[in-house]
Amino acid sequence: MTAVAEAGILVNGEARAPEGAVVSVFDRGFQYGDGVFETLALVDGRVREQAAHLERLARGAELLGIPAPEVGAFEADIAELSRDLGRGDRAVIKLNYTRGAGGRGLAPPPDPVPTRVAMRLGWPGHPVEWAETGVRVITCRTRQVSGAALDGRIKSMNQLNHIVARMEWTDPGIAEGLLRDGEGRVVEGTVTNLFLVRDGELVTPDLAGAGLPGVTRGRVLEAAASLGIPVREDPVWPGDLARAEELFLTNSIIGVWPVRELDGQMVADGAPGPVTRRLQQALEGMYAA
Amino acid sequence: MTAVAEAGILVNGEARAPEGAVVSVFDRGFQYGDGVFETLALVDGRVREQAAHLERLARGAELLGIPAPEVGAFEADIAELSRDLGRGDRAVIKLNYTRGAGGRGLAPPPDPVPTRVAMRLGWPGHPVEWAETGVRVITCRTRQVSGAALDGRIKSMNQLNHIVARMEWTDPGIAEGLLRDGEGRVVEGTVTNLFLVRDGELVTPDLAGAGLPGVTRGRVLEAAASLGIPVREDPVWPGDLARAEELFLTNSIIGVWPVRELDGQMVADGAPGPVTRRLQQALEGMYAA
């Protein structure tokens, strides 16, 4: 598999060289983070879960009162950014969609003209064996933002809290950090959702108060159901993680990463567990189909 | 007093026409809201509270691990943006300072090159008599974000929650909306701090869990102390507002706005109270000196 380098940026559908890929300083995406984003995997020339990502983006825009993207616009962007890739290539597509320029102060302008950005980025440099060997994870001191109007519903361009969490470690051997909410419940990773297995049951945080339900999280829940694995969405506490037989992380780019070590403690015997493996394979099968 | 129209944008110190005032789509200010901002009043050719605003901006950058602005850079920007204004003019200066372009994912790049934007905007169009007659205010349904690492310490470019609160009203006769935290304490307005007077004592939310301590809030507390008015920073509940003898709002542009109506209920007899008046005059005196 060839990780294809950065190639292609479209701003409102127009191709731009990196130095010309710009937005106005008045764009509310820049001024306030007033927009949404999505990150999609482009593998073997095909974009995974395009419909699910574009639906979430559109739903987020709607909740924010940002006019819907033009019909087919992001689809055309994605097609343009992926057309030179084929079997054996992989890359990442990132989409940003903002309320566009204008509006004095926080109040949005009455007739916003949204800004649409689509770019193709290289595949991230994580060691490929992490999907097999499992990863090392820490619990962040930084707490999840909770109580916000937008919790768990919008993949917004307000990512500063997660950046502060991500800055808690620099060791490249640590793959992810987990965030707890104000009460101490474990909610999600900085860029992943979290699952645990106990007594043969699959559990994932219910994201009732905070946290974003990822597209891959949804697919894993579906795959578990179709495999007859009992599933529960519930509050998850640090003690639940300590007692788990298996732990794993998901997102659209990494798929499923088994967790072999949490805060310096081995998870079970450190080897990826059988439920994690089955779900990993189910997901791979789904995308290969 | 002439409200001067938009005039002048500097990006990293370089003058730009509005259509050329742009930042890279890779700027982390755009991608994530990874930066801080300040809004300053420019009255009679003089910038108010420049040192306090630039100190807060620098402190926010430091807390985020963004390299400090070049010494004197924002000062030079502000001087450039204000040099054609004099007695009788007023305008607003807005500063943005981001971690700049780059970094794959949330993790900041090892050697960030910050982006510095300074612009001069026209004075907002609020009716000037609001400072005399008082304003109408509502309580927002949207709750303050709390539990975040950055609460109350950083004036960040993550403003989406406050935008959602601001979108709760469109009536131009409503001046501001108040936000409560998850437990129901009243924290701040969308762009103001809040004060109440009861039994001759001045009370303002303590901002222990959330909310930004404004520069003008600080000056009002100082002015109250020097006038011998007892002051308390404490949790404030909706019931405290309902029982208040006086309510007022502050920020760097509006100064002090008496509140005459909250959620459709008159505050006391609806006229600005004596403590509000004294503090308003003290502040005006301070800035005239």
Side-chain angles (χ1 to χ4, degrees), chain A residues 27 51 105 125 204 207:
Chain A
D27 195 284
T204 193
L207 310 183

Side-chain angles (χ1 to χ4, degrees), chain B residues 260-273:
Chain B
R260 68 176 165 83
E261 189 188 297
L262 172 62
D263 295 323
Q265 301 294 314
M266 200 118 92
V267 176
D269 66 356

Side-chain angles (χ1 to χ4, degrees), chain A residues 1-53:
Chain A
M1 195 71 83
T2 311
V4 175
E6 216 164 271
I9 308 162
L10 303 169
V11 178
N12 294 323
E14 286 178 27
R16 300 284 180 85
E19 60 278 12
V22 293
V23 292
S24 170
V25 296
F26 298 106
D27 195 284
R28 295 173 61 93
F30 179 72
Q31 287 293 328
Y32 303 123
D34 190 2
V36 291
F37 77 101
E38 289 290 337
T39 306
L40 296 81
L42 174 52
V43 179
D44 289 332
R46 293 194 313 190
V47 178
R48 288 182 176 169
E49 304 282 12
Q50 174 169 318
H53 286 285

